[in-house]
Amino acid sequence: MAPLQPGNPLDLAAISCALLVVYFVGIAFYNVFLHPLRSFPGPLLWRISPIPRSIKLTQGKLPFYVLDLHNKYGPVVRIGPNELAFSDPQAWKDIYGHRHNGEPELPKYDGLYRIIDNVPRGIINTPRDEHSMLRRQLAHGFSERSMQAQEPIIGSYVDLLIQRLLEQCNAGLTTLNMREWLNWTTFDVIGDLGFGSSFDCLEKSDYHPWVRILTNSVRQSAFLVALANAGFQPLVRIALRLGKLAINDNQALVRQKVSQRIELGVERPDLIEGLIKKNKEGVLSFKQIAVNAGTLIVAGSETTATLLSGAVFLLTTNPDKLEKLTKEVRSKFNSEDEITLTSVGSLSYMLACLNESLRCYPPVPTGLPRQVPKGGVFISGKFVPEGTAVAVWQWAINHDTHFWTEPYTFAPERFIGDAKFKTDQLEAMQPFSVGPRNCIGRNLAYAEMRLILAKIIYNFDMKIDDGSRGWIDTQEAFTLWHKPALNIYMKPVAR
């Protein structure tokens, strides 16, 4: 056998291939047998490499597969070389809650929250101290007092929704794509509350270009996260800096909208007034306001519209539940004028329906990972070493038979003390998260969802179109859902 000649290109290629094989075999051996997470169960290829996880993410199937993994391996599953998924109510507190005995809060995992490094950090991914300052400035816009001041703004768009739906129905039975109408409503509301002007979606009965860009950017983000987590971070940076991506277009439109809001020069009971004041004081830059305003748009519109769409689907495919809710709404109010942000708080069965919709169809079906700090922590009684990415996956825990009776059954009664569901562990569901970084807009979201749903049910009888009966089953789930049309027969109530 002739010796290898260092100058021979074929020999150099053979040596390079051999070294690559040794390198990857070495990584695989380490991840399986020597890695600090080696004792946690999970699929072999997922323990070896982040690529299988990334493939499932780009396919829109990852949240569902994580549930399958929990069913096979138990409440703690290793879904990547350095990542654990938990399905346990205690894990919500241990991962996202307040820490005790001086232990630091688990910080956000930059593998999800920091793939874009050319913009400032916002309330979603900023360090703890800055997060507290941002939250204080935003808290005023979500206070009870502000909600009362915002009611005429929110109510005007809900009334416009009803008006537009009535116009479409022409006093007859008409099929409407309620996904679109609910999206248009929530985007118009958050546009006014966040920036002082509507997107005019309801006025024009069409999507604002920004709404389309935002929808596309959510899906693009999933692909970029998958690439970054698979080890292609340099490609992600190049794509973000050179490519014509919806993410970049979205950032530009947010900055434009924030500039218009600042130029108004008046105080309003909106969501970013506190941030604008800090900008005038020199505490926050314009880019920081824009980043946080962009977060409010997604969190305050897309997720609300998604939940309402899910509620309409689940109610119309469970007509006995819809009938019960319809009776509650129409017997409670003598006229539509009585339906307000405050009065809808008395609709107990509606709250149960919304909570069950949040369980069956969480607007964020994925996990929102944190990173274990130095020294490691105990999560659900298991010691987890430092540097590990950890999360509770909402779709998985919301459909775990250990915590829910008949988890695939839409049963609002489980939230109002029905004996059939007495063993359900309601604390397993945390759609707004827990702890110091829980969703600041929870109360506003509940009030807005109740108001919109109550006015729709008061004014219309609904029946699902047969073509939409598999609406949830056909969807892909990234960080958010990719929702098809939701066609509903809408018949105005004769009074």
Side-chain angles (χ1 to χ4, degrees), residues 40 68 99 156 159 183 191 245 258 266 278-279 308 326 359 362 437 440 453 466 472-473 475 480 492 494:
F40 291 95
D68 294 339
R99 307 297 297 177
S156 66
D159 290 342
N183 261 339
L245 299 178
V258 169
V266 296
K278 285 297 178 182
N279 173 252
L308 283 169
T326 300
R359 187 193 67 81
R437 289 181 182 249
I440 193 173
L453 189 55
D466 287 342
I472 289 181
D473 298 336
Q475 291 184 43
L480 302 173

Side-chain angles (χ1 to χ4, degrees), residues 75-225:
V76 189
V77 183
R78 189 177 174 193
I79 61 172
N82 199 44
E83 183 175 3
L84 297 177
F86 288 81
S87 183
D88 184 346
Q90 182 60 38
W92 283 113
K93 302 173 185 176
D94 294 340
I95 296 174
Y96 305 96
H98 295 273
R99 307 297 297 177
H100 303 290
N101 302 321
E103 294 179 351
E105 172 192 314
L106 273 63
K108 297 293 182 78
Y109 175 59
D110 279 352
L112 174 67
Y113 292 101
R114 192 59 177 168
I115 63 165
I116 303 175
D117 55 8
N118 63 337
V119 295
R121 290 179 181 268
I123 192 168
I124 290 291
N125 59 8
T126 194
R128 183 75 180 97
D129 291 344
E130 187 176 343
H131 172 269
S132 298
M133 182 273 291
L134 288 172
R135 191 173 177 108
R136 284 194 301 271
Q137 300 311 311
L138 289 169
H140 174 72
F142 292 97
S143 67
E144 185 68 30
R145 181 178 178 181
S146 289
M147 280 180 56
Q148 292 174 2
Q150 293 159 0
E151 179 161 3
I153 298 173
I154 299 172
S156 66
Y157 292 109
V158 181
D159 290 342
L160 182 56
L161 166 67
I162 301 303
Q163 178 186 331
R164 288 287 182 263
L165 293 178
L166 289 170
E167 291 170 357
Q168 294 291 317
C169 291
N170 292 320
L173 186 65
T174 305
T175 305
L176 299 177
N177 180 0
M178 289 304 292
R179 178 208 65 189
E180 290 188 334
W181 288 98
L182 293 168
N183 261 339
W184 294 341
T185 304
T186 58
F187 271 100
D188 277 355
V189 169
I190 202 65
D192 202 318
L193 291 183
F195 301 111
S197 61
S198 166
F199 290 111
D200 290 330
C201 295
L202 287 171
E203 191 66 40
K204 299 176 181 177
S205 299
D206 195 8
Y207 285 102
H208 186 281
W210 187 2
V211 180
R212 297 187 188 278
I213 290 171
L214 183 58
T215 302
N216 292 333
S217 73
V218 169
R219 191 163 189 172
Q220 283 184 3
S221 294
F223 282 92
L224 294 176
V225 168

Side-chain angles (χ1 to χ4, degrees), residues 21-74:
V21 169
V22 171
Y23 173 73
F24 286 115
V25 169
I27 288 178
F29 182 85
Y30 173 79
N31 285 340
V32 174
F33 297 106
L34 302 177
H35 195 283
L37 299 182
R38 61 187 178 275
S39 63
F40 291 95
L44 179 61
L45 291 178
W46 292 53
R47 288 182 283 153
I48 289 174
S49 167
I51 293 177
R53 180 195 188 283
S54 295
I55 291 173
K56 287 290 185 185
L57 174 61
T58 58
Q59 293 173 338
K61 299 177 180 178
L62 185 55
F64 317 121
Y65 191 66
V66 169
L67 173 58
D68 294 339
L69 294 180
H70 280 302
N71 289 335
K72 182 176 181 179
Y73 293 104

Side-chain angles (χ1 to χ4, degrees), residues 67 71 314 356 359-361 395-411 414 421 424:
L67 173 58
N71 289 335
L314 291 163
E356 180 68 341
R359 187 193 67 81
C360 293
Y361 184 64
W395 177 269
I397 198 169
N398 287 3
H399 294 83
D400 194 322
T401 55
H402 292 91
F403 313 122
W404 307 100
T405 303
E406 300 178 3
Y408 288 93
T409 298
F410 179 69
R414 74 177 80 240
F421 305 100
D424 284 9

